[in-house]
Amino acid sequence: MLTYKFMQIAFVVCILLGVIIPLLGSSVVFKRLSSSGDALAHSSLAGVAIGLAAGLNPLFISIIACIISFFIIELLRKKFNKFSEMGVAVVLSGAIGLAGILSNFTTSSNFESYLFGSILLISDIELYLCIGLFVLVTLFSIIFYRQIFASLYSEGESKVAKINVNLIQFIQDLLFSIMIAISAKVVGSLVVSSLVVLPTAIALQFKKGYRFTLFFSIFVSIFIMTIGLTISYYANLKPGATIVMFAICILFLIFIIKGISYFIKNIIRKKFKEI
């Protein structure tokens, strides 16, 4: 399998995205804005449709579309105030509508390749973009680790401590938008939002602190992406969809194990009480 160059590149990208997605996605999950990933993923699809219809580079137009959608979401969140999640729903609806209309002006094969991704057909530009984003996100997460944690723990207390919360969140959201656009091309716009949530959801099952959850979600993300890619190669399945389904299987397996463990503990407790 690894004798093929395209598979070597695919594994490298899987590892890079396996680190990038949880570093940015965990903050989105903790802020309870998981649906924004779905809105941006569909915005990236609308950008792809614009690029294909206009004869422009779909990936770069997709990145621009995600960044614009991010600004629109932030604007609508402020406008709706207490109903801030409606801004995400508005952008999601608009992106779906625009992508649906413009898909009539594109070739079906090109457009459909962005729905479930084309991780086995990664170009040099896409590889370099992944490497560049990996460096930016990793450096940002290391340098501003304490500030990010503080803003997630208490935004009000962070502002009192003179942490520029707005700037931290702006950079995070901007990097998140670019990450969604690139990941949507690689693993598919229909599944990328799932990869934002699932690694953190699995890590949260262990009910540890923020640091454990963050680092374990990175480990889980790399694991599910590399194993999912391997399964898809040998089973001749779509890589993005296979990765997501593998992650869901792990999550449900943890649910089952925790349920059985809880049941056994209850039985043991009852027996000790009887004694």
Side-chain angles (χ1 to χ4, degrees):
M1 179 177 66
L2 291 176
T3 54
Y4 297 105
K5 185 180 178 181
F6 70 90
M7 285 302 298
Q8 294 172 1
I9 294 173
F11 269 98
V12 170
V13 171
C14 271
I15 293 169
L16 293 176
L17 291 180
V19 176
I20 295 169
I21 294 174
L23 283 176
L24 296 172
S26 58
S27 295
V28 173
V29 173
F30 284 127
K31 288 187 288 187
R32 298 182 180 180
L33 293 172
S34 303
S35 58
S36 63
D38 207 17
L40 291 176
H42 284 82
S43 297
S44 74
L45 192 60
V48 166
I50 293 170
L52 291 173
L56 302 172
N57 187 303
L59 180 59
F60 289 116
I61 301 301
S62 174
I63 292 172
I64 293 170
C66 280
I67 293 172
I68 292 172
S69 296
F70 150 67
F71 283 116
I72 294 172
I73 288 173
E74 287 300 307
L75 177 64
L76 292 176
R77 281 177 62 191
K78 291 178 181 178
K79 288 286 185 182
F80 286 116
N81 198 5
K82 292 182 180 180
F83 304 97
S84 58
E85 72 279 358
M86 288 181 66
V88 176
V90 170
V91 171
L92 176 62
S93 303
I96 292 172
L98 185 60
I101 291 171
L102 292 176
S103 64
N104 292 323
F105 302 95
T106 64
T107 56
S108 58
S109 59
N110 286 338
F111 187 71
E112 286 177 6
S113 68
Y114 284 85
L115 295 176
F116 291 100
S118 52
I119 198 169
L120 302 181
L121 300 173
I122 298 168
S123 66
D124 290 339
I125 293 175
E126 290 157 6
L127 175 61
Y128 297 145
L129 282 172
C130 284
I131 294 171
L133 186 62
F134 171 80
V135 173
L136 284 175
V137 172
T138 304
L139 287 175
F140 173 75
S141 300
I142 293 171
I143 295 170
F144 296 100
Y145 173 81
R146 293 182 181 277
Q147 291 89 333
I148 293 169
F149 172 72
S151 63
L152 290 173
Y153 179 75
S154 175
E155 193 172 313
E157 290 181 16
S158 298
K159 288 180 179 178
V160 171
K162 296 182 179 180
I163 294 174
N164 196 334
V165 176
N166 292 331
L167 180 61
I168 294 292
Q169 288 182 349
F170 175 80
I171 296 172
Q172 271 190 310
D173 292 340
L174 188 62
L175 290 172
F176 183 72
S177 302
I178 298 171
M179 180 272 290
I180 288 291
I182 295 173
S183 300
K185 168 63 173 71
V186 175
V187 298
S189 59
L190 294 182
V191 297
V192 65
S193 57
S194 303
L195 293 177
V196 171
V197 176
L198 287 170
T200 305
I202 292 169
L204 284 170
Q205 299 308 308
F206 295 90
K207 297 181 180 179
K208 301 290 185 179
Y210 171 75
R211 183 177 296 179
F212 173 87
T213 302
L214 179 62
F215 284 104
F216 191 70
S217 64
I218 292 172
F219 168 77
V220 170
S221 182
I222 294 172
F223 177 75
I224 63 174
M225 291 196 75
T226 52
I227 299 300
L229 178 61
T230 304
I231 294 170
S232 69
Y233 175 81
Y234 286 109
N236 195 24
L237 300 170
K238 293 185 182 297
T242 306
I243 291 168
V244 169
M245 289 307 300
F246 180 62
I248 291 173
C249 288
I250 291 176
L251 182 60
F252 275 92
L253 181 62
I254 292 172
F255 286 155
I256 293 168
I257 292 171
K258 287 180 69 176
I260 294 171
S261 176
Y262 180 76
F263 179 72
I264 292 171
K265 284 179 181 179
N266 279 343
I267 292 174
I268 293 171
R269 284 173 186 172
K270 287 179 181 179
K271 285 186 176 182
F272 272 108
K273 284 180 181 180
E274 290 174 357
I275 294 170

